[in-house]
Amino acid sequence: MSSRHTERTAYRSAVATAVTMVALFTLAACGGGGDDDEANPSAPKKSSASSSASTDAGDDEVDTSKVIGELKGANGIEIAVHSAVRDAGGFVTVSGTLYNKGDRTFRAAEWRSEETAIKSKSSIAGATLIDKSGKKRYMVLRDTDGQCLCTTGLAGVQPGESRPVFAQFPAPPANVAAVEFHVPSMSPVTLELTEG
């Protein structure tokens, strides 16, 4: 084998390695789903459904001084709900703050959805909205990868810690002005919907 052929083979191998590395870095930058949300647990998740909506959960600042309802659970776990906004795209976004006022680390294991195809762990994916007048229950929306459009990364909320939380749902009919917000293992609360 000539040295020129060896050089050409080495060059092709180096180019193939570079192309593979660029592809891997591009895929990593685009995100891969899973439960890597620990770094930013409150960041809204984008999907084809949420990007087509006129208002995304992260587009508007939430007024955390305003509390429109409170949910209470065991061991000092509380959620103060700041808003329940219906947008023109047909979604309702509920935003709040999770407080651990107890003396144990909270892991949100019971807040996961019971659906078997759902990938979102340590999340508020099991939350629901109830339209009592229409007798309908609305579950947290999912993206095309099965990730909830909600807060994830609630694996270790320490005593005294608070975290922002949100969940997006399909909107009930326009004539529905209030819904009941349920989070597993917590007391439900009635929320007035506002237009976004």
Side-chain angles (χ1 to χ4, degrees):
M1 189 182 285
S2 71
S3 64
R4 184 176 184 131
H5 180 67
T6 304
E7 289 174 358
R8 192 175 300 152
T9 303
Y11 174 77
R12 286 181 182 158
S13 176
V15 168
T17 301
V19 168
T20 302
M21 294 302 290
V22 167
L24 288 174
F25 282 114
T26 302
L27 285 173
C30 291
D35 243 348
D36 301 23
D37 308 296
E38 314 301 333
N40 192 2
S42 64
K45 305 296 176 258
K46 302 268 187 193
S47 74
S48 57
S50 66
S51 61
S52 67
S54 63
T55 304
D56 198 334
D59 289 345
D60 296 321
E61 289 294 318
V62 175
D63 181 1
T64 56
S65 66
K66 181 179 178 184
V67 176
I68 63 170
E70 293 181 312
L71 296 88
K72 296 187 184 284
N75 303 315
I77 300 302
E78 297 179 10
I79 297 177
V81 180
H82 306 303
S83 64
V85 180
R86 180 201 311 263
D87 68 25
F91 303 95
V92 168
T93 303
V94 176
S95 300
T97 302
L98 163 67
Y99 296 96
N100 184 350
K101 297 181 177 179
D103 56 5
R104 292 190 280 186
T105 300
F106 178 69
R107 289 181 173 74
E110 66 270 17
W111 288 4
R112 292 184 300 208
S113 173
E114 295 300 318
E115 299 166 83
T116 56
I118 301 309
K119 299 178 181 180
S120 306
K121 298 182 177 91
S122 299
S123 69
I124 195 168
T128 56
L129 289 184
I130 306 290
D131 168 12
K132 286 184 156 185
S133 61
K135 298 181 180 174
K136 289 192 178 181
R137 177 173 69 152
Y138 298 92
M139 300 175 80
V140 175
L141 291 167
R142 307 298 195 261
D143 68 13
T144 54
D145 294 325
Q147 298 291 342
C148 73
L149 298 184
C150 68
T151 302
T152 60
L154 297 172
V157 184
Q158 300 300 318
E161 187 179 358
S162 65
R163 301 246 186 111
V165 292
F166 84 96
Q168 281 191 328
F169 303 88
N175 64 335
V176 176
V179 290
E180 202 169 74
F181 181 51
H182 289 251
V183 174
S185 76
M186 301 192 83
S187 58
V189 64
T190 299
L191 303 176
E192 297 291 326
L193 297 177
T194 58
E195 300 298 321

